[in-house]
Amino acid sequence: MHYVPRRSFWESKGVRTGALFTGLAVCGVVILALVRQHIGTGPFLIGLGLAILPVPLLLWAYLWLDRVAPSPWQNIVFAIAWGACAATLVAIFANEYGQKLVTSTFSGTPSQSDRWGATFVAPLVEESAKGAAVLLLFLFRRRSFESIVDGIVLAGVAATGFAFTENILYLGTAVNEDRDLGSSILGSTTAGTFVVRVLMTPFAHPLFTSMTGIGFALAATVRPGRHWRWRWVPPLAGWVLAMALHGTWNATSLTSPTVFLTVYFAVMLPAFGLLVGLAFWARSNELRTVRTHLAVYAAAGWLARGEPAALGSMAARGTARREARRLQGEAAARTVRDYIAFATHLAFLRAAATRGAPPPDFTARESELLHHLWTRKPWAQPALLAAASPPPPYLLPPPRPWPPPPPYTPWLPPPVGGKHL
């Protein structure tokens, strides 16, 4: 066992975590009560049922993207709870105050005030509220930021929670409008709101806040040196870009459908495509980091020679877990899963040291991770080596016939004086 110093009651990690999530739960109760009071119980339930539809798909996509080095579940739960509860509660009051401030400061019609509020106030308030989740994790869980993927995932999960609560309010308000106007289902405001916010743009809030997440991820992985004091620039630039995208989106949503669709196809979808491409590149870079930096430990004898290749392949990882479960049961599969997680974090730790940014407790963390690998090695290593080895020859497909190579003609220099040199 490893020595753990005694802590007082309020310094206990479990107590602090419990107090944090209790506060978030209180925020959730308050925000849901406010939304229900604003739109009514029936519209609230309808909005809740419609708003929750894209949430499982988005969460599954982020968790799938984060499979190489999964973030601690506490971070994921905190991010989505902050976005759905605390961030929306702050946004409701701050947006209302900001709207009144704009109306009292600038003279204009009510429609102009609404446009200014949606274009400038809402992006500032909402991106700050959502980005606060990433900021808190950056300040208190710096180890969780090992690559760009972590910033995208944590920011996207927080924004997904925010969009869920916000969609309840928008959809419930649309239900009330349709009830007052007696609109049909197909031609109703509720149907249009559902199509735009749930079907067309479920990625909007995650796209905006991911800019902030990428900025904090870059700041966490920057190499210390002469530019170390400028590491606040990426988070600030990401936050500004998030507000710019958010403001552009809100401004076009108040214009004609033609402008809205033009911006949607010309700006929003390409930006989302670039984010997806960056996420896939960062994920493949994580696997490449595992293969590259675990080779040092294989050369030192801590790992077998074929393990870095297996640990750097998602297919080999899955095969190793399945074979361990088939041959030795669920406990062996969990052991292989833990072995893979410890090896992955060891590779990221070595990568940070290689680029000149080792944590202060690098030696202690490296020894701890190697200890965990060594204790799980008897079960996990055979499964990984079996997954990395090629199949037997009799399982390979027959070789394809290839055309014969062209005849070899040796190259000779040009003759000088009638003779070859």
Side-chain angles (χ1 to χ4, degrees):
M1 294 181 62
H2 298 277
Y3 173 74
V4 179
R6 292 176 60 90
R7 297 179 178 176
S8 65
F9 178 78
W10 292 109
E11 290 179 345
S12 173
K13 182 179 178 180
V15 172
R16 288 179 297 174
T17 303
L20 175 62
F21 283 105
T22 300
L24 290 175
V26 172
C27 291
V29 172
V30 172
I31 187 65
L32 291 180
L34 288 175
V35 172
R36 189 191 65 81
Q37 182 181 7
H38 181 73
I39 62 178
T41 303
F44 169 79
L45 294 177
I46 295 175
L48 177 64
L50 295 176
I52 204 172
L53 292 178
V55 174
L57 179 61
L58 289 172
L59 291 180
W60 174 86
Y62 281 115
L63 294 178
W64 178 87
L65 180 65
D66 200 33
R67 284 175 60 205
V68 176
S71 299
W73 66 267
Q74 295 94 333
N75 293 359
I76 299 294
V77 174
F78 167 77
I80 191 171
W82 180 276
C85 304
T88 49
L89 186 62
V90 170
I92 283 181
F93 292 106
N95 278 335
E96 184 178 357
Y97 174 78
Q99 186 68 34
K100 292 180 180 179
L101 183 63
V102 169
T103 303
S104 61
T105 304
F106 302 97
S107 59
T109 63
S111 61
Q112 289 176 333
S113 299
D114 292 340
R115 185 183 300 274
W116 291 338
T119 305
F120 301 105
V121 176
L124 172 63
V125 170
E126 294 178 7
E127 294 309 320
S128 299
K130 291 181 292 180
V134 189
L135 172 63
L136 291 173
L137 291 171
F138 176 81
L139 293 177
F140 298 103
R141 292 292 185 93
R142 185 75 56 85
R143 291 184 183 180
S144 301
F145 289 86
E146 296 176 316
S147 72
I148 295 178
V149 173
D150 296 313
I152 294 175
V153 169
L154 294 174
V157 168
T160 299
F162 183 91
F164 164 69
T165 306
E166 187 183 57
N167 284 342
I168 296 176
L169 179 61
Y170 276 93
L171 290 166
T173 303
V175 170
N176 281 330
E177 293 179 3
D178 292 334
R179 181 179 297 173
D180 295 337
L181 297 175
S183 302
S184 61
I185 296 177
L186 295 179
S188 65
T189 306
T190 304
T193 305
F194 176 78
V195 170
V196 172
R197 297 192 65 88
V198 177
L199 298 183
M200 290 181 62
T201 61
F203 59 86
H205 276 290
L207 171 64
F208 306 148
T209 314
S210 292
M211 304 299 107
T212 306
I214 293 172
F216 277 106
L218 292 175
T221 57
V222 68
R223 177 178 179 177
R226 56 183 298 185
H227 302 297
W228 178 257
R229 63 182 181 274
W230 298 104
R231 65 174 180 171
W232 55 269
V233 173
L236 179 62
W239 176 60
V240 171
L241 181 57
M243 290 190 297
L245 288 173
H246 197 158
T248 302
W249 176 249
N250 285 356
T252 56
S253 64
L254 299 176
T255 57
S256 64
T258 303
V259 176
F260 171 78
L261 291 176
T262 301
V263 173
Y264 176 75
F265 287 105
V267 178
M268 296 298 294
L269 285 184
F272 178 66
L274 290 175
L275 177 64
V276 172
L278 176 63
F280 275 92
W281 173 85
R283 189 175 189 263
S284 63
N285 189 59
E286 286 185 330
L287 293 172
R288 185 163 53 250
T289 299
V290 171
R291 292 191 298 267
T292 301
H293 292 280
L294 286 184
V296 177
Y297 299 98
W302 286 97
L303 301 176
R305 189 171 298 275
E307 280 189 87
L311 291 166
S313 168
M314 296 304 296
R317 290 182 174 197
T319 301
R321 289 194 300 269
R322 288 191 299 270
E323 287 301 307
R325 181 180 295 109
R326 183 179 66 87
L327 296 175
Q328 302 184 28
E330 190 62 33
R334 287 195 299 269
T335 300
V336 173
R337 181 198 62 196
D338 295 341
Y339 185 91
I340 292 171
F342 289 127
T344 303
H345 291 299
L346 180 64
F348 286 131
L349 185 66
R350 171 61 62 173
T354 302
R355 66 173 177 264
D361 56 345
F362 170 80
T363 303
R365 289 177 60 187
E366 182 185 43
S367 300
E368 184 82 8
L369 291 170
L370 289 173
H371 167 76
H372 286 301
L373 291 179
W374 194 261
T375 56
R376 292 162 175 81
K377 187 176 181 178
W379 280 14
Q381 191 177 79
L384 286 166
L385 293 178
S389 61
Y394 57 84
L395 294 180
L396 293 175
R400 295 174 53 188
W402 292 94
Y408 172 71
T409 304
W411 180 84
L412 295 175
V416 178
K419 297 182 179 180
H420 288 287
L421 292 178

